[in-house]
Every structure is written in structure tokens, then in C-alpha cells.
Amino acid sequence: MQQFAWLTKVRSYLLPGAMLLAGVASLVSGALPLPAFDALAGRTVPILAFVLAMSLLTELLDEAGLFKVVTDRLAGLGRGRVFLLWLLVVALATVTTVFLSLDTTAVLVTPVVVLLAVHAGIQPLPFALTTIWLANTASLLLPVSNLTNLLAQDALGLSPLGFAGTVWAPALVGVVVPLALLWLAFRKDLRGRYRPQRSPAVRDRPLLVIAAATLLVLLPALVSGVPVQYPAIVAAAFLLMVFLRRRPSVLRWSMVPWRPLMLTVGLFMVVEALHANGLTALLAGTAGQGESLPALLHLAALGAGAANAANNLPAYLALEPVAGSPARVAALLIGVNLGPLVTPWASLATLLWHERLRALNVRIKWSGFALAGLVVAALTVPLAVVALWLASGMP
């Protein structure tokens, strides 16, 4: 059994390791020129530092029991009504995605929400789909919500509030439309009542209070205009020191997101090497031009299709150079953020979400997931583009 677990762990590193080796090979072979690599590093190292710091921070928040306490409070606030509990889960998944990223929702919110439903005797599928759909579709509002947003913010030179001011309308559509479809699909399951479970005592209340206070201080700092990696690093370092003093036994190397970092670094390098060898010119004719509604719909559809065919991160990196303007970058983000709902590999969050469900013995039929996701994406992406076009006042 231990050997099987070891083999499973090794297999999980094959794709990230292969992608990282491909990136290194492109640099060593000269396919990725050194000047292009230097420019890439200058742009992406701060983003990777943010990803590392936030991943460590959210793991520590989870070890402090913060997410479990929040969901226990939600169960009480639901007053035994399934629909009200679902709305509270919607609020939790949305806020977590917007301020702590889609991967946090997939990794940390999914298990506590699904267990909450199971223990309350509620069908877990609506709650599981709510978390993953919102993890993707609610990830448009702030730069910190999605790695693609951080890349776009850097390309556009916008402040966090300026970024939000550009995409607020499609971001709202990205939340409302999937929720409406979820309610239509599961309205019978969301009726009725449940019996809240008695919550276990908090293991270390001072640690929980410190963790919550750290998060409350961090959230406004992330939208203050200060480069986001700095407050994230400070918060993670502070909470790490607290854990070293109070609960060092829970600290482990697996808290570092090795696989996402390896995969991301490799993708950055491979896509940049492709751009250095003609990818931009190849895509220029495919992506179209202009900021008319048909042009924006075309670019968003291309981004959504590329995300589901490969992954949302390389899709954005490949198409960013041919976006060319804030409105077109926003349309591309709509495609790669709100569109990857069909294939399991379309976003890393979906793969992480499935890992958590499998550990909880909750089964997902991928054919049904793909069909439902296709419907949601086919409605959400164009409506979000229309909202962007209307809010921007473009002719």
C-alpha cells in the first residue's frame, strides 16, 4: 500500500517535471534567447513569489482551523435551510476566490464545504459544483484572483482598483449566470431542511485568532496598490514564525506548492520560446483585430477554446501579445477565466478540486461534468463579453 502511494506521488510529478525540463531545454538550446528569458524573469519572478507566499499562507490558515470554523459558522447561520446554506457557501466560495485565488477555493474550500453537506445529510454534488464553477468564473475581479489576472495587470500597468474597474461588469456576470444555472439544475436538491452538526472545540484558539487577524490585515493590503508579493510574503513569514513557536509539528515541505510552481515555470519558458520563434505572427491572423463586439466575442471564444484544449495559463500566454489593448486583454481574460469549465485539465484548479473529491470518495462523471460545463461556458462567456462592451461604452 505504501509503495502504491509512493508511485502515485511520483506520477503526479511527471507532467510538472517534464514541463520544467522542456523549459530548461528551450533555454539551453537557444530556442529561448537570453534577453527574452531575462525579460520573462523580470516579469514573472514577482508573480511566482506571490503564488508561493499565498499558497503557504492559505495552508497555514487551514492548519489554524480558520476554514473549518468559517464553514461551521455558515452551518449555524443557515438555520437548517438548505437553500440558505447554499447561498452562504456561494458567498464563501466567491470571496475566497476573489481575494485568495481560485486554487485556494479548489484546494481548501472544497473539502470543508463537501464534508459540511455530507454531515448535514445533503446531496454534495450541488455544493461541489458550486465551488469549482465559482473558483473559475469568480476569478476575474482582482489581480490576485487568478494568475492570468496578475499577468494581465502587469501587461496593462493597472492598479488593483483600476483592474477591477475595467472588468467589474463581466466579473458580475461570471458569478450570476453560473449560479442561476446551478439553481435551475439543482433546485429540488436545494429545498428542504438539514440538521446542523455540533462543532468540535477549537484546538488552539490564540493561534486561530492570530491567523484570522493576519488575513484581515492582508486583504486590504492586496488591493492597496502595493505590489502584491510584498504583503503576501510578510503575512506568510509572520504566520510561519507563529507556527514555529506554537505548532512546529504541523509544518511540512508539502505545504510548498512544488507541482504548480514547476508546471508554471515550465509553461512560462516554453510559451516564451514559442513566441521567440514566430508564435505571435502565427496567431495574429487567428485572433482578429479591433474592439467591436464581434471582435471581442471572437477573441474570448478563442481563449476559452484554447484553455479547454490545453490549459488556461498557456492559452493566455500565447494570446496576450495579439490582444493589444485593455478591452481586448479583458476579453481574453473572460475566455481563459470563465471558459475553462469543460475539460478537467482546462485549469489547475479543476484538477486540484478533483483530487480533493476523490479523497472524500465523492465521484464525478466527467462526461456529465463536461456537458454541464459546456452549457455554462457557452452562456457565461458571451454574456460577460457583452457586459464588458456595454460597460466600456465602446461603439
Side-chain angles (χ1 to χ4, degrees), residues 303-324:
N308 283 291
N311 178 268
N312 64 337
L313 182 56
Y316 175 82
L317 290 170
L319 292 166
E320 183 195 68
V322 297

Side-chain angles (χ1 to χ4, degrees), residues 18 24 134 178 227 234 257 266 268 284 287 308 322 378:
V24 173
L134 286 178
V234 170
F268 281 156
N308 283 291
V322 297

Side-chain angles (χ1 to χ4, degrees), residues 329-351:
V329 170
L332 174 58
L333 285 175
I334 289 171
V336 300
N337 286 16
L338 278 57
L341 302 176
V342 182
T343 58
W345 56 81
S347 77
L348 177 62
T350 303
L351 294 174

Side-chain angles (χ1 to χ4, degrees), residues 56-57 59-65 204 207-208 210-211 236-251 255:
L56 179 58
L57 177 69
E59 289 281 358
L60 294 174
L61 292 173
D62 186 47
E63 285 290 349
D204 189 336
L207 181 61
L208 175 64
I210 293 171
F238 169 74
L239 206 53
L240 181 61
M241 288 188 293
V242 172
F243 267 84
L244 284 170
R245 183 173 180 83
R246 297 190 65 88
R247 290 180 63 191
S249 60
V250 305
L251 300 177
M255 287 182 168

Side-chain angles (χ1 to χ4, degrees), residues 12 38 61 70 80 113 133 149 158 189-190 208 240-241 251 261 307 388:
S12 70
D38 289 340
L61 292 173
V70 169
V113 166
W133 282 0
N149 298 357
L158 293 173
D189 294 311
L190 296 175
L208 175 64
L240 181 61
M241 288 188 293
L251 300 177
L261 285 176
L388 170 70

Side-chain angles (χ1 to χ4, degrees), residues 6 40 44 75 124 167 175 210 223 241 272 304 308 331 351 371-372:
W6 179 81
L40 176 69
T44 59
V167 299
V175 173
I210 293 171
V223 296
M241 288 188 293
E272 188 64 25
N308 283 291
L351 294 174
L371 181 60

Side-chain angles (χ1 to χ4, degrees), residues 26 32 39 55 69-70 77 89 92 106 109 125 186 201 265 292 303 329 360:
S26 68
L32 175 57
S55 297
V69 168
V70 169
L77 291 172
V89 168
L92 173 63
V109 175
L125 183 58
F186 294 104
V265 171
S292 65
V329 170
L360 296 170

